[in-house]
Amino acid sequence: MSAKHILVVEDEEKITRLLCDYLKQAGFRTASQDNGDRVIAQVKKEPPDLILLDIMLPGKDGMALCREIRQFSNVPIIMITALDGTEDKVCGLECGADEFLSKPVNSAELLARVKSMLRLKQYQEQLQVRTRSQKTFSENAGAAPVASTRSPVRNRKKPASRRRCEERSKVSIPPMPEPMITPALNGSATCLMSACSIACTAAAMPS
Ligand code: CA
């Protein structure tokens, strides 16, 4: 499996280098951008698996970028905020950010949050694939059968000679009655007239 691609959007070179080093050591592939006006083009050109997004940037700020990225991508976005950036977090959530990291960034927390977001993304993708498969299956199952160029066998008319032959060979067989049991004679014998004998007797009588 190829290394996941993380885009680091940060204008402070020292922080950018630190973040990229942490991520590379953990096996990720990184790219960086320090100007807000160039982020959208970069995301469209080489879509990352996750974006680390600073708020204060030259050009477009992190909030505007987040809002704009959400118009064409569901890529996980982790915003980098000030230590007590409650307002930034509220605003970031409204703009479409998924997660937050406070400065100074702790390397263990960074990796934990990145991995967590990537797992969530993978789960969502699997869910989408399954939903698409189920939808396709349902559509195929409900599709009308393809019309045959031949009429169904049961609706085809039989030749007259064959119909007459079949009618002659039909024998009217009365339904099988239940066996009749008469009361015991002299207390020792039971007279049982079977259904078969009744049917035979009835058939022998003139109509
Ligand atoms: Ca900054």
PDB file of all heavy atoms in Angstrom, residues 20 22 41 47 49 53 57 79-80 88 98 105 118 123 125 130 143 147 154 162-163 168 184 187 193 202:
ATOM      1  N   CYS A  20       6.463  18.115   9.098  1.00  0.00           N
ATOM      2  CA  CYS A  20       6.826  17.196   8.009  1.00  0.00           C
ATOM      3  C   CYS A  20       7.768  16.099   8.504  1.00  0.00           C
ATOM      4  O   CYS A  20       7.634  14.938   8.106  1.00  0.00           O
ATOM      5  CB  CYS A  20       7.463  17.971   6.849  1.00  0.00           C
ATOM      6  SG  CYS A  20       6.267  18.971   5.947  1.00  0.00           S
ATOM      7  N   TYR A  22       7.964  14.841  11.584  1.00  0.00           N
ATOM      8  CA  TYR A  22       7.177  13.889  12.376  1.00  0.00           C
ATOM      9  C   TYR A  22       6.444  12.910  11.456  1.00  0.00           C
ATOM     10  O   TYR A  22       6.445  11.702  11.670  1.00  0.00           O
ATOM     11  CB  TYR A  22       6.126  14.619  13.219  1.00  0.00           C
ATOM     12  CG  TYR A  22       6.637  15.406  14.394  1.00  0.00           C
ATOM     13  CD1 TYR A  22       5.939  16.517  14.855  1.00  0.00           C
ATOM     14  CD2 TYR A  22       7.782  15.023  15.090  1.00  0.00           C
ATOM     15  CE1 TYR A  22       6.377  17.241  15.947  1.00  0.00           C
ATOM     16  CE2 TYR A  22       8.228  15.742  16.187  1.00  0.00           C
ATOM     17  CZ  TYR A  22       7.528  16.856  16.609  1.00  0.00           C
ATOM     18  OH  TYR A  22       7.965  17.564  17.702  1.00  0.00           O
ATOM     19  N   ALA A  41      -5.352  25.293  -5.768  1.00  0.00           N
ATOM     20  CA  ALA A  41      -4.784  24.725  -6.992  1.00  0.00           C
ATOM     21  C   ALA A  41      -3.958  23.477  -6.670  1.00  0.00           C
ATOM     22  O   ALA A  41      -4.021  22.467  -7.393  1.00  0.00           O
ATOM     23  CB  ALA A  41      -3.922  25.771  -7.702  1.00  0.00           C
ATOM     24  N   PRO A  47      -4.546  15.671  -5.133  1.00  0.00           N
ATOM     25  CA  PRO A  47      -5.420  15.554  -3.965  1.00  0.00           C
ATOM     26  C   PRO A  47      -4.739  14.789  -2.823  1.00  0.00           C
ATOM     27  O   PRO A  47      -4.320  13.644  -3.006  1.00  0.00           O
ATOM     28  CB  PRO A  47      -6.629  14.770  -4.491  1.00  0.00           C
ATOM     29  CG  PRO A  47      -6.622  15.016  -5.962  1.00  0.00           C
ATOM     30  CD  PRO A  47      -5.173  15.107  -6.341  1.00  0.00           C
ATOM     31  N   ASP A  49      -4.479  12.952   1.051  1.00  0.00           N
ATOM     32  CA  ASP A  49      -5.353  12.104   1.877  1.00  0.00           C
ATOM     33  C   ASP A  49      -5.788  12.838   3.132  1.00  0.00           C
ATOM     34  O   ASP A  49      -6.774  12.452   3.771  1.00  0.00           O
ATOM     35  CB  ASP A  49      -4.613  10.825   2.262  1.00  0.00           C
ATOM     36  CG  ASP A  49      -4.356   9.946   1.045  1.00  0.00           C
ATOM     37  OD1 ASP A  49      -5.335   9.534   0.400  1.00  0.00           O
ATOM     38  OD2 ASP A  49      -3.181   9.706   0.721  1.00  0.00           O
ATOM     39  N   LEU A  53      -3.989  22.270   8.423  1.00  0.00           N
ATOM     40  CA  LEU A  53      -4.258  23.626   7.946  1.00  0.00           C
ATOM     41  C   LEU A  53      -4.108  24.669   9.052  1.00  0.00           C
ATOM     42  O   LEU A  53      -4.874  24.660  10.029  1.00  0.00           O
ATOM     43  CB  LEU A  53      -5.692  23.653   7.381  1.00  0.00           C
ATOM     44  CG  LEU A  53      -6.186  24.933   6.735  1.00  0.00           C
ATOM     45  CD1 LEU A  53      -5.315  25.327   5.538  1.00  0.00           C
ATOM     46  CD2 LEU A  53      -7.640  24.775   6.292  1.00  0.00           C
ATOM     47  N   LEU A  57      -2.544  32.828   7.542  1.00  0.00           N
ATOM     48  CA  LEU A  57      -1.666  32.572   6.399  1.00  0.00           C
ATOM     49  C   LEU A  57      -1.593  33.812   5.520  1.00  0.00           C
ATOM     50  O   LEU A  57      -2.541  34.609   5.484  1.00  0.00           O
ATOM     51  CB  LEU A  57      -2.241  31.427   5.547  1.00  0.00           C
ATOM     52  CG  LEU A  57      -2.308  30.028   6.151  1.00  0.00           C
ATOM     53  CD1 LEU A  57      -3.253  29.166   5.335  1.00  0.00           C
ATOM     54  CD2 LEU A  57      -0.916  29.405   6.192  1.00  0.00           C
ATOM     55  N   MET A  79      -7.272  21.378  11.643  1.00  0.00           N
ATOM     56  CA  MET A  79      -6.858  22.780  11.762  1.00  0.00           C
ATOM     57  C   MET A  79      -5.882  22.952  12.913  1.00  0.00           C
ATOM     58  O   MET A  79      -6.048  22.330  13.971  1.00  0.00           O
ATOM     59  CB  MET A  79      -8.062  23.676  11.995  1.00  0.00           C
ATOM     60  CG  MET A  79      -8.675  24.166  10.715  1.00  0.00           C
ATOM     61  SD  MET A  79      -9.842  25.485  11.032  1.00  0.00           S
ATOM     62  CE  MET A  79     -10.069  26.054   9.364  1.00  0.00           C
ATOM     63  N   ILE A  80      -4.901  23.796  12.686  1.00  0.00           N
ATOM     64  CA  ILE A  80      -3.915  24.090  13.732  1.00  0.00           C
ATOM     65  C   ILE A  80      -4.302  25.425  14.353  1.00  0.00           C
ATOM     66  O   ILE A  80      -4.326  26.458  13.675  1.00  0.00           O
ATOM     67  CB  ILE A  80      -2.499  24.152  13.145  1.00  0.00           C
ATOM     68  CG1 ILE A  80      -2.173  22.801  12.473  1.00  0.00           C
ATOM     69  CG2 ILE A  80      -1.466  24.443  14.234  1.00  0.00           C
ATOM     70  CD1 ILE A  80      -0.907  22.822  11.652  1.00  0.00           C
ATOM     71  N   ASP A  88     -11.724  29.794  17.413  1.00  0.00           N
ATOM     72  CA  ASP A  88     -11.224  29.222  16.161  1.00  0.00           C
ATOM     73  C   ASP A  88     -11.841  27.846  15.903  1.00  0.00           C
ATOM     74  O   ASP A  88     -12.182  27.502  14.771  1.00  0.00           O
ATOM     75  CB  ASP A  88      -9.699  29.087  16.204  1.00  0.00           C
ATOM     76  CG  ASP A  88      -9.004  30.436  16.105  1.00  0.00           C
ATOM     77  OD1 ASP A  88      -9.669  31.406  15.695  1.00  0.00           O
ATOM     78  OD2 ASP A  88      -7.817  30.513  16.434  1.00  0.00           O
ATOM     79  N   ASP A  98     -12.488  18.976  10.471  1.00  0.00           N
ATOM     80  CA  ASP A  98     -12.841  17.723  11.135  1.00  0.00           C
ATOM     81  C   ASP A  98     -12.225  17.600  12.522  1.00  0.00           C
ATOM     82  O   ASP A  98     -12.784  16.949  13.399  1.00  0.00           O
ATOM     83  CB  ASP A  98     -12.355  16.536  10.288  1.00  0.00           C
ATOM     84  CG  ASP A  98     -13.013  16.513   8.932  1.00  0.00           C
ATOM     85  OD1 ASP A  98     -14.238  16.308   8.882  1.00  0.00           O
ATOM     86  OD2 ASP A  98     -12.318  16.730   7.928  1.00  0.00           O
ATOM     87  N   VAL A 105       2.494  22.091  18.697  1.00  0.00           N
ATOM     88  CA  VAL A 105       1.984  20.768  18.350  1.00  0.00           C
ATOM     89  C   VAL A 105       2.831  19.681  19.006  1.00  0.00           C
ATOM     90  O   VAL A 105       4.053  19.682  18.920  1.00  0.00           O
ATOM     91  CB  VAL A 105       1.988  20.592  16.810  1.00  0.00           C
ATOM     92  CG1 VAL A 105       1.553  19.176  16.446  1.00  0.00           C
ATOM     93  CG2 VAL A 105       1.058  21.606  16.164  1.00  0.00           C
ATOM     94  N   LEU A 118      -7.530   9.315   9.272  1.00  0.00           N
ATOM     95  CA  LEU A 118      -7.360   8.460   8.091  1.00  0.00           C
ATOM     96  C   LEU A 118      -8.180   7.170   8.220  1.00  0.00           C
ATOM     97  O   LEU A 118      -8.727   6.684   7.241  1.00  0.00           O
ATOM     98  CB  LEU A 118      -5.874   8.130   7.882  1.00  0.00           C
ATOM     99  CG  LEU A 118      -5.023   9.318   7.419  1.00  0.00           C
ATOM    100  CD1 LEU A 118      -3.548   8.927   7.368  1.00  0.00           C
ATOM    101  CD2 LEU A 118      -5.465   9.827   6.047  1.00  0.00           C
ATOM    102  N   TYR A 123     -13.008   4.139   6.549  1.00  0.00           N
ATOM    103  CA  TYR A 123     -14.299   3.546   6.896  1.00  0.00           C
ATOM    104  C   TYR A 123     -15.420   4.158   6.047  1.00  0.00           C
ATOM    105  O   TYR A 123     -16.287   3.453   5.526  1.00  0.00           O
ATOM    106  CB  TYR A 123     -14.577   3.762   8.382  1.00  0.00           C
ATOM    107  CG  TYR A 123     -15.963   3.370   8.808  1.00  0.00           C
ATOM    108  CD1 TYR A 123     -16.315   2.033   8.936  1.00  0.00           C
ATOM    109  CD2 TYR A 123     -16.929   4.344   9.067  1.00  0.00           C
ATOM    110  CE1 TYR A 123     -17.596   1.665   9.299  1.00  0.00           C
ATOM    111  CE2 TYR A 123     -18.204   3.983   9.436  1.00  0.00           C
ATOM    112  CZ  TYR A 123     -18.531   2.648   9.556  1.00  0.00           C
ATOM    113  OH  TYR A 123     -19.811   2.300   9.914  1.00  0.00           O
ATOM    114  N   GLU A 125     -15.164   5.521   3.126  1.00  0.00           N
ATOM    115  CA  GLU A 125     -15.032   5.072   1.732  1.00  0.00           C
ATOM    116  C   GLU A 125     -15.578   3.660   1.562  1.00  0.00           C
ATOM    117  O   GLU A 125     -16.262   3.363   0.588  1.00  0.00           O
ATOM    118  CB  GLU A 125     -13.562   5.135   1.309  1.00  0.00           C
ATOM    119  CG  GLU A 125     -13.075   6.565   1.097  1.00  0.00           C
ATOM    120  CD  GLU A 125     -11.567   6.649   0.888  1.00  0.00           C
ATOM    121  OE1 GLU A 125     -10.848   5.647   1.100  1.00  0.00           O
ATOM    122  OE2 GLU A 125     -11.101   7.736   0.523  1.00  0.00           O
ATOM    123  N   ARG A 130     -19.974   0.007  -0.248  1.00  0.00           N
ATOM    124  CA  ARG A 130     -21.016  -0.964   0.080  1.00  0.00           C
ATOM    125  C   ARG A 130     -22.399  -0.431  -0.277  1.00  0.00           C
ATOM    126  O   ARG A 130     -23.237  -1.142  -0.815  1.00  0.00           O
ATOM    127  CB  ARG A 130     -20.956  -1.295   1.576  1.00  0.00           C
ATOM    128  CG  ARG A 130     -21.861  -2.431   1.961  1.00  0.00           C
ATOM    129  CD  ARG A 130     -21.837  -2.687   3.431  1.00  0.00           C
ATOM    130  NE  ARG A 130     -20.542  -3.092   3.927  1.00  0.00           N
ATOM    131  CZ  ARG A 130     -20.284  -3.308   5.214  1.00  0.00           C
ATOM    132  NH1 ARG A 130     -21.221  -3.141   6.108  1.00  0.00           N
ATOM    133  NH2 ARG A 130     -19.091  -3.681   5.612  1.00  0.00           N
ATOM    134  N   ALA A 143     -35.346  -4.643 -11.890  1.00  0.00           N
ATOM    135  CA  ALA A 143     -35.461  -4.307 -13.310  1.00  0.00           C
ATOM    136  C   ALA A 143     -36.472  -5.216 -13.991  1.00  0.00           C
ATOM    137  O   ALA A 143     -36.618  -6.382 -13.653  1.00  0.00           O
ATOM    138  CB  ALA A 143     -34.094  -4.451 -13.968  1.00  0.00           C
ATOM    139  N   ALA A 147     -38.033  -8.398 -22.661  1.00  0.00           N
ATOM    140  CA  ALA A 147     -39.128  -8.986 -23.416  1.00  0.00           C
ATOM    141  C   ALA A 147     -38.609  -9.998 -24.414  1.00  0.00           C
ATOM    142  O   ALA A 147     -37.650  -9.749 -25.139  1.00  0.00           O
ATOM    143  CB  ALA A 147     -39.892  -7.871 -24.133  1.00  0.00           C
ATOM    144  N   ARG A 154     -46.909 -21.285 -22.339  1.00  0.00           N
ATOM    145  CA  ARG A 154     -48.260 -21.625 -21.873  1.00  0.00           C
ATOM    146  C   ARG A 154     -49.346 -20.891 -22.641  1.00  0.00           C
ATOM    147  O   ARG A 154     -50.498 -21.280 -22.608  1.00  0.00           O
ATOM    148  CB  ARG A 154     -48.358 -21.337 -20.372  1.00  0.00           C
ATOM    149  CG  ARG A 154     -48.257 -19.881 -19.984  1.00  0.00           C
ATOM    150  CD  ARG A 154     -48.559 -19.717 -18.496  1.00  0.00           C
ATOM    151  NE  ARG A 154     -48.410 -18.345 -18.073  1.00  0.00           N
ATOM    152  CZ  ARG A 154     -47.240 -17.818 -17.699  1.00  0.00           C
ATOM    153  NH1 ARG A 154     -46.158 -18.559 -17.702  1.00  0.00           N
ATOM    154  NH2 ARG A 154     -47.172 -16.562 -17.319  1.00  0.00           N
ATOM    155  N   ARG A 162     -54.685 -32.040 -31.659  1.00  0.00           N
ATOM    156  CA  ARG A 162     -54.100 -32.415 -30.370  1.00  0.00           C
ATOM    157  C   ARG A 162     -55.081 -32.140 -29.245  1.00  0.00           C
ATOM    158  O   ARG A 162     -55.194 -32.905 -28.292  1.00  0.00           O
ATOM    159  CB  ARG A 162     -52.802 -31.637 -30.160  1.00  0.00           C
ATOM    160  CG  ARG A 162     -52.064 -32.088 -28.904  1.00  0.00           C
ATOM    161  CD  ARG A 162     -50.706 -31.473 -28.795  1.00  0.00           C
ATOM    162  NE  ARG A 162     -50.123 -31.736 -27.487  1.00  0.00           N
ATOM    163  CZ  ARG A 162     -48.983 -31.243 -27.075  1.00  0.00           C
ATOM    164  NH1 ARG A 162     -48.268 -30.472 -27.882  1.00  0.00           N
ATOM    165  NH2 ARG A 162     -48.531 -31.525 -25.898  1.00  0.00           N
ATOM    166  N   ARG A 163     -55.844 -31.020 -29.361  1.00  0.00           N
ATOM    167  CA  ARG A 163     -56.820 -30.707 -28.311  1.00  0.00           C
ATOM    168  C   ARG A 163     -57.887 -31.790 -28.244  1.00  0.00           C
ATOM    169  O   ARG A 163     -58.278 -32.224 -27.164  1.00  0.00           O
ATOM    170  CB  ARG A 163     -57.458 -29.339 -28.574  1.00  0.00           C
ATOM    171  CG  ARG A 163     -56.548 -28.154 -28.289  1.00  0.00           C
ATOM    172  CD  ARG A 163     -57.380 -26.908 -28.007  1.00  0.00           C
ATOM    173  NE  ARG A 163     -58.350 -26.624 -29.044  1.00  0.00           N
ATOM    174  CZ  ARG A 163     -58.076 -25.960 -30.166  1.00  0.00           C
ATOM    175  NH1 ARG A 163     -56.851 -25.539 -30.403  1.00  0.00           N
ATOM    176  NH2 ARG A 163     -59.011 -25.747 -31.060  1.00  0.00           N
ATOM    177  N   ARG A 168     -60.563 -36.541 -25.510  1.00  0.00           N
ATOM    178  CA  ARG A 168     -61.056 -37.928 -25.521  1.00  0.00           C
ATOM    179  C   ARG A 168     -60.395 -38.753 -24.433  1.00  0.00           C
ATOM    180  O   ARG A 168     -61.007 -39.620 -23.826  1.00  0.00           O
ATOM    181  CB  ARG A 168     -60.789 -38.564 -26.896  1.00  0.00           C
ATOM    182  CG  ARG A 168     -61.877 -38.269 -27.921  1.00  0.00           C
ATOM    183  CD  ARG A 168     -61.831 -39.290 -29.040  1.00  0.00           C
ATOM    184  NE  ARG A 168     -60.539 -39.296 -29.721  1.00  0.00           N
ATOM    185  CZ  ARG A 168     -60.236 -38.514 -30.744  1.00  0.00           C
ATOM    186  NH1 ARG A 168     -61.128 -37.647 -31.210  1.00  0.00           N
ATOM    187  NH2 ARG A 168     -59.042 -38.582 -31.292  1.00  0.00           N
ATOM    188  N   ALA A 184     -71.577 -51.810  14.260  1.00  0.00           N
ATOM    189  CA  ALA A 184     -71.189 -53.219  14.412  1.00  0.00           C
ATOM    190  C   ALA A 184     -72.396 -54.143  14.331  1.00  0.00           C
ATOM    191  O   ALA A 184     -73.469 -53.819  14.831  1.00  0.00           O
ATOM    192  CB  ALA A 184     -70.496 -53.409  15.760  1.00  0.00           C
ATOM    193  N   GLY A 187     -72.342 -57.311  17.178  1.00  0.00           N
ATOM    194  CA  GLY A 187     -71.241 -56.980  18.082  1.00  0.00           C
ATOM    195  C   GLY A 187     -69.934 -57.596  17.682  1.00  0.00           C
ATOM    196  O   GLY A 187     -68.967 -57.555  18.433  1.00  0.00           O
ATOM    197  N   MET A 193     -67.272 -50.277   3.779  1.00  0.00           N
ATOM    198  CA  MET A 193     -67.420 -50.092   2.337  1.00  0.00           C
ATOM    199  C   MET A 193     -66.399 -49.049   1.906  1.00  0.00           C
ATOM    200  O   MET A 193     -66.470 -47.901   2.298  1.00  0.00           O
ATOM    201  CB  MET A 193     -68.836 -49.624   2.003  1.00  0.00           C
ATOM    202  CG  MET A 193     -69.111 -49.591   0.512  1.00  0.00           C
ATOM    203  SD  MET A 193     -70.806 -49.161   0.184  1.00  0.00           S
ATOM    204  CE  MET A 193     -71.626 -50.647   0.698  1.00  0.00           C
ATOM    205  N   ALA A 202     -71.233 -46.620  -8.409  1.00  0.00           N
ATOM    206  CA  ALA A 202     -71.820 -45.447  -9.019  1.00  0.00           C
ATOM    207  C   ALA A 202     -71.561 -45.416 -10.515  1.00  0.00           C
ATOM    208  O   ALA A 202     -72.420 -45.076 -11.296  1.00  0.00           O
ATOM    209  CB  ALA A 202     -71.276 -44.189  -8.369  1.00  0.00           C
TER     210      ALA A 202
END
